């Protein structure tokens, strides 16, 4: 059985359990572009520091997902509308384009569907995404679905929105070393120790220091020098039942 992946105008056919050539490219081309602009549907672009380009999103849920991919330390790269797959489904072949591709530092490649909870569990959709999962898993590509139930977290979203402002703050090696060797406990103490609010937030935004993103960021937020949080900042659903 082969797994067919269409990237742009290229068709790559590989046997299950093989690895695709996923070397980073300077320019990313989505394999599926919106044909029409649906009435009332919001689309936009997310300025990704991790990717060094704008990431196109087609729903507010996808926009929220971009924040989580951006700040998940285990994720090296992520691409939107990355590939098309031929999915055997109920005696036919259906073309499928995931919403995102996640490339991990571990070498794993995951494919992601972003769907409202109620739409995911419509019988036709849940059966089809189970078929997608089976096909991709046979090729050693985990398939996950993230719904609004996992994405709607106002506190975490506010924290990540704040930290994104400081992703591009210039941090010298001397400052990073000083911060990692400091004896501060709280964010307020960190700011006092290095005498800069912007650098303090930059150290957190760029992954040199850590805080609990599930709690509002305040002067009393505890600072950690080791990543006590999860390497990925989101939960997700998998087949067969997506519960």
């Amino acid at each position: 059985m082969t797994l067919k992946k269409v990237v742009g105008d290229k068709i790559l056919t590989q046997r299950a359990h093989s690895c695709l050539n996923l070397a980073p490219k300077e320019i990313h081309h989505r394999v599926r572009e919106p044909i029409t602009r649906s009435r009332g549907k919001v689309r936009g672009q997310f300025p990704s520091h991790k990717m060094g380009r704008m990431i196109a999103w087609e729903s507010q849920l996808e926009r929220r997902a971009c924040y989580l991919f951006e700040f998940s330390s285990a994720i090296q790269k992520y691409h939107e509308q990355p590939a098309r797959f031929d999915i055997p489904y109920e005696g036919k072949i259906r073309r499928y384009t995931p919403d995102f591709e996640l490339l991990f530092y571990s070498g794993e490649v995951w494919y992601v569907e972003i769907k409202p909870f109620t739409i995911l569990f419509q019988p036709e959709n849940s059966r089809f995404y189970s078929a997608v999962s089976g096909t991709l898993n046979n090729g050693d590509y985990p398939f996950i679905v993230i719904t609004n139930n996992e994405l709607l977290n106002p506190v975490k979203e506010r924290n990540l929105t704040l930290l994104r402002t400081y992703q591009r703050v210039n941090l010298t090696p001397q400052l990073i070393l000083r911060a990692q060797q400091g004896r501060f406990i709280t964010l307020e103490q960190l700011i006092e120790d290095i005498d800069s609010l912007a650098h303090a937030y930059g150290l957190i935004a760029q992954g040199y220091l850590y805080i609990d993103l599930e709690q509002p960021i305040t002067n009393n937020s505890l600072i950690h020098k080791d990543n006590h949080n999860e390497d990925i900042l989101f939960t997700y659903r998998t087949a067969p039942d997506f519960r």
Side-chain angles (χ1 to χ4, degrees):
M1 176 180 176
T2 59
L3 176 65
K4 182 181 290 185
K5 177 183 179 181
V6 182
V7 183
D9 295 328
K10 292 184 178 181
I11 299 179
L12 305 176
T13 304
Q14 300 181 326
R15 293 192 177 278
H17 307 295
S18 65
C19 296
L20 294 176
N21 178 10
L22 294 167
K25 301 177 178 61
E26 292 184 2
I27 301 175
H28 171 70
H29 298 287
R30 293 186 291 172
V31 300
R32 182 183 66 78
E33 298 289 343
I35 298 175
T36 60
R37 294 196 174 274
S38 303
R39 181 178 299 177
K41 186 170 184 177
V42 179
R43 295 185 175 94
Q45 293 188 322
F46 177 86
S48 170
H49 177 69
K50 179 178 283 187
M51 296 302 298
R53 66 176 179 86
M54 304 296 285
I55 302 292
W57 49 264
E58 297 186 359
S59 71
Q60 292 292 353
L61 291 181
E62 289 187 14
R63 179 187 64 80
R64 289 181 167 92
C66 286
Y67 277 94
L68 300 175
F69 303 153
E70 184 77 10
F71 284 95
S72 290
S73 61
I75 296 174
Q76 181 181 22
K77 302 284 184 181
Y78 61 103
H79 304 289
E80 76 279 32
Q81 305 292 335
R84 283 196 301 269
F85 294 98
D86 290 338
I87 307 297
Y89 177 66
E90 297 184 352
K92 300 180 180 179
I93 298 295
R94 283 181 56 175
R95 285 282 181 89
Y96 170 67
T97 302
D99 291 322
F100 290 98
E101 176 185 70
L102 307 181
L103 284 72
F104 289 80
Y105 282 101
S106 65
E108 287 186 287
V109 179
W110 293 13
Y111 289 99
V112 184
E113 179 69 22
I114 308 294
K115 270 287 177 287
F117 181 85
T118 54
I119 294 179
L120 170 63
F121 284 102
Q122 292 175 1
E124 169 70 15
N125 290 333
S126 59
R127 289 198 306 272
F128 176 66
Y129 291 128
S130 289
V132 171
S133 179
T135 299
L136 295 184
N137 287 343
N138 283 340
D140 280 346
Y141 303 119
F143 174 74
I144 66 172
V145 180
I146 308 177
T147 75
N148 51 295
N149 287 8
E150 292 76 59
L151 290 170
L152 297 181
N153 186 325
V155 172
K156 183 182 290 184
E157 187 171 350
R158 284 195 297 270
N159 289 341
L160 296 182
T161 300
L162 171 64
L163 291 176
R164 190 176 67 164
T165 307
Y166 298 94
Q167 281 185 295
R168 298 183 183 274
V169 170
N170 184 45
L171 302 173
T172 65
Q174 294 81 5
L175 175 64
I176 295 169
L177 181 62
R178 176 181 172 183
Q180 291 178 333
Q181 294 179 344
R183 296 185 176 181
F184 47 80
I185 297 176
T186 66
L187 176 58
E188 183 176 32
Q189 291 170 346
L190 169 62
I191 295 170
E192 291 176 353
D193 185 71
I194 63 176
D195 195 28
S196 171
L197 182 147
H199 285 155
Y201 279 104
L203 288 161
I204 298 167
Q206 296 174 39
Y208 295 106
L209 298 173
Y210 306 95
I211 61 173
D212 183 1
L213 294 172
E214 298 289 344
Q215 302 297 322
I217 297 176
T218 70
N219 283 341
N220 294 322
S221 294
L222 298 180
I223 300 293
H224 304 283
K225 296 176 184 177
D226 296 315
N227 190 2
H228 296 295
N229 299 317
E230 296 293 331
D231 288 331
I232 58 175
L233 298 178
F234 52 91
T235 56
Y236 52 86
R237 299 168 185 271
T238 58
D241 55 11
F242 298 106
R243 297 293 179 183

